[in-house]
Amino acid sequence: MAPATVPALALHQRIRSDIEAKILSGEWGPGHRIPFEHELMAQYGCARMTVNKVIAGLAAAGLIERRRRAGSFVAQPRIQSAVLQIPDIPQEVTGRGAEYGYELIFRRRRRTGPRDPLASELPAGTDVLDLRCRHLADGKPFALEDRLIALAVVPEAAETDFSTVPPGSWLLGHVPWTEAEHRISAVGASLREARELELPRGAPCLCLERRTWRGADTITYARQLFRGDHYNLAARFSPQG
Amino acid sequence: MAPATVPALALHQRIRSDIEAKILSGEWGPGHRIPFEHELMAQYGCARMTVNKVIAGLAAAGLIERRRRAGSFVAQPRIQSAVLQIPDIPQEVTGRGAEYGYELIFRRRRRTGPRDPLASELPAGTDVLDLRCRHLADGKPFALEDRLIALAVVPEAAETDFSTVPPGSWLLGHVPWTEAEHRISAVGASLREARELELPRGAPCLCLERRTWRGADTITYARQLFRGDHYNLAARFSPQG
DNA sequence: ACGGCTAATATGTATAGACATTTAGTCGAC
DNA sequence: GTCGACTAAATGTCTATACATATTAGCCGT
């Protein structure tokens, strides 16, 4: 029987990982000119389309920059860019083996005012759903969430009572979004927050604020407050994704 | 004079943005099968390589998934993945128009022990440089930094005194890294930390821990403590990069 | 009804060539 | 020398074709 053909990475994958290895090992530092397409073509004995596809892919991934006539260069590493995984809270809780619990504290429909967190995005008087809820892990308070949902953009939210489904999970499954913004800070728990999280007043909490858009429309604002002693955000990453 | 030829996006760009628009507008929701290559080929009157390149690019970007024989499908949006920009501190401070100041609190060379933050990465007894420093904005304490640098991997660090250059900036410019891990949490300032940051004891601070590797070697560990009232991390991002 | 074979289908990979576009670098005129 | 125009070099885009490979629908026999 003929020897089984080795899976042998596709040629373009081999070329790509060769180049990535050179870059990631530091052998080709930032600014280094990588071989011209015709050189790689000769080196690997393949057509230009093949190396072109590879290098275009590396450029799309931000690993290299291309300049006509000049060549292709290893990109300057971006200062620090981390891909933070921020799953929704039920998933986060069950992911650590705890039992997830959820409580709706209030749900009301109102119009935005001039001091709302969304005031800069939504004109005052916009119809929103205003929710507050509490996430529990093994029966103990884990996070508080304040949430505003723009009803003009997500009218179905008005018919959802959110007494059993957390708004974050519901929105993820119902509304496609195109852009979001996070803000992460450390704050001391207010009197009310401390009570709702069963912490002493002023206890350090991780505060995650998120605004989400769909095209030009603001969809939602969320402020999640996590017990500092029970939660942290972790991210593992490479220089350029 | 003949009308100037409109810049007219390259065909593959037009195809790509057409498809992206359909996906981002929600018209083609997650799981929707996008037209087969041969259909797009007919629709745009082009060669298969052209649509193939487009769709392969969308797949590489995570916007769609491809299954042989079945077709190409709009991907489920990934839970939440944010690209966090975390520039080094001098840049951060001057970027907000404040004057940056830096103070080295101590610098000593020692061997790691069993309870070091790097204990799981470095065997006890590894030679490290142990630094503590303080970052100031307009003369006021802004952040505290504890830093360990593995001297076996970065021997040049032993000859650097770090009395004027922050270790983070120095490392960024001297050592290529291949992987890093962040951990973001909220903590209350200890007595010493409170004194060094000129805060009341227990004041909420944002704590950013970072471990950095080069290949299999651990390069450095940093723990940066920011005044909660003066600092937050912000990120703006799209569903799939 | 069930299980396995087969053939059709859509993507995956690659080629060789063509022409367009941008721009670094050269060379010449002033 | 300086500023321009020109040229050649490298990437950008696209075509038409070919064959490989994975997957599944459907056929077929039991």
Side-chain angles (χ1 to χ4, degrees):
Chain A
M1 175 178 168
T5 55
V6 212
L9 285 178
L11 179 55
H12 75 268
Q13 289 179 39
R14 199 160 70 80
I15 301 176
R16 174 151 183 165
S17 47
D18 284 357
I19 296 177
E20 281 181 337
K22 288 262 202 320
I23 295 176
L24 294 181
S25 73
E27 185 175 338
W28 290 350
H32 180 277
R33 209 208 78 226
I34 75 169
F36 295 125
E37 292 191 355
H38 68 263
E39 293 172 325
L40 290 169
M41 202 174 145
Q43 180 180 339
Y44 289 95
C46 65
R48 187 164 78 95
M49 270 300 288
T50 306
V51 305
N52 180 10
K53 195 171 179 177
V54 169
I55 304 193
L58 288 167
L63 219 61
I64 67 175
E65 284 173 9
R66 313 199 73 185
R67 293 210 311 278
R68 274 178 155 138
R69 168 65 214 249
S72 303
F73 302 82
V74 176
Q76 299 295 327
R78 276 172 288 176
I79 301 301
Q80 299 273 7
S81 65
V83 175
L84 251 195
Q85 292 286 356
I86 305 182
D88 71 340
I89 297 176
Q91 200 172 322
E92 180 74 10
V93 170
T94 54
R96 1 183 125 189
E99 193 195 351
Y100 175 71
Y102 168 78
E103 289 170 3
L104 182 64
I105 298 176
F106 67 71
R107 172 192 191 282
R108 62 185 177 212
R109 189 169 173 163
R110 65 175 176 85
R111 298 196 175 269
T112 54
R115 292 181 49 206
D116 258 295
L118 285 178
S120 56
E121 282 91 25
L122 295 177
T126 303
D127 205 17
V128 294
L129 198 61
D130 183 359
L131 307 170
R132 177 173 300 151
C133 57
R134 192 156 76 147
H135 303 269
L136 311 169
D138 282 336
K140 289 188 295 190
F142 178 75
L144 280 183
E145 176 171 344
D146 282 291
R147 170 78 68 166
L148 293 178
I149 303 173
L151 288 171
V153 188
V154 197
E156 316 92 288
E159 272 82 58
T160 310
D161 76 356
F162 296 108
S163 62
T164 57
V165 187
S169 312
W170 185 87
L171 282 166
L172 260 182
H174 282 72
V175 187
W177 53 282
T178 61
E179 202 170 7
E181 188 184 87
H182 278 161
R183 184 170 297 279
I184 300 166
S185 54
V187 301
S190 72
L191 192 57
R192 171 183 64 72
E193 291 161 347
R195 195 174 53 236
E196 288 171 340
L197 283 174
E198 294 175 14
L199 286 172
R201 182 175 181 181
C205 293
L206 197 66
C207 174
L208 178 63
E209 290 179 284
R210 184 185 307 150
R211 289 177 169 77
T212 311
W213 292 268
R214 171 171 177 173
D217 299 321
T218 300
I219 300 174
T220 184
Y221 164 82
R223 178 177 186 271
Q224 296 171 336
L225 202 67
F226 298 88
R227 297 179 56 140
D229 55 349
H230 278 50
Y231 190 71
N232 51 43
L233 295 166
R236 196 179 176 95
F237 56 100
S238 303
Q240 34 273 89
Chain B
M1 175 180 169
T5 54
V6 211
L9 285 178
L11 178 55
H12 74 268
Q13 289 178 38
R14 200 161 68 83
I15 301 177
R16 174 152 182 163
S17 46
D18 283 356
I19 296 177
E20 281 181 337
K22 287 263 203 315
I23 295 176
L24 294 181
S25 72
E27 185 175 339
W28 290 349
H32 181 276
R33 209 209 76 226
I34 75 170
F36 295 126
E37 292 190 356
H38 68 263
E39 292 172 325
L40 290 168
M41 201 176 146
Q43 180 179 338
Y44 290 95
C46 64
R48 186 162 81 95
M49 271 301 290
T50 306
V51 305
N52 181 2
K53 193 171 178 178
V54 170
I55 303 192
L58 288 168
L63 219 62
I64 66 175
E65 283 172 10
R66 313 199 72 185
R67 293 210 311 277
R68 276 181 156 139
R69 167 66 214 249
S72 303
F73 302 83
V74 176
Q76 300 295 328
R78 276 176 288 176
I79 300 303
Q80 298 273 6
S81 66
V83 175
L84 251 194
Q85 291 287 355
I86 305 182
D88 71 341
I89 296 175
Q91 200 172 320
E92 180 73 10
V93 171
T94 55
R96 12 183 117 186
E99 194 194 350
Y100 175 71
Y102 169 76
E103 290 170 1
L104 182 64
I105 298 175
F106 68 72
R107 171 192 191 284
R108 61 185 177 214
R109 190 168 172 163
R110 64 175 176 83
R111 297 193 177 271
T112 53
R115 291 181 49 206
D116 259 295
L118 286 178
S120 56
E121 282 90 25
L122 297 176
T126 303
D127 205 16
V128 293
L129 198 61
D130 184 0
L131 307 170
R132 177 173 300 150
C133 57
R134 190 156 75 147
H135 303 269
L136 312 169
D138 282 335
K140 290 188 294 189
F142 179 75
L144 281 183
E145 176 170 345
D146 282 292
R147 170 78 67 167
L148 294 178
I149 303 174
L151 288 172
V153 188
V154 197
E156 315 93 285
E159 273 80 59
T160 310
D161 75 357
F162 296 109
S163 62
T164 56
V165 188
S169 312
W170 185 87
L171 282 165
L172 258 183
H174 283 71
V175 187
W177 53 282
T178 61
E179 202 169 7
E181 187 183 88
H182 278 163
R183 186 169 297 279
I184 300 166
S185 54
V187 302
S190 73
L191 193 55
R192 172 183 63 73
E193 291 161 347
R195 196 174 54 237
E196 290 172 340
L197 283 174
E198 295 174 15
L199 286 174
R201 182 176 183 183
C205 293
L206 197 65
C207 174
L208 178 63
E209 289 178 286
R210 184 185 307 150
R211 288 175 168 78
T212 311
W213 291 268
R214 172 171 177 173
D217 299 321
T218 300
I219 301 174
T220 185
Y221 164 82
R223 178 178 186 270
Q224 297 171 335
L225 202 67
F226 298 89
R227 296 179 56 140
D229 54 348
H230 279 49
Y231 190 71
N232 49 44
L233 296 166
R236 197 179 175 94
F237 56 100
S238 303
Q240 30 273 90

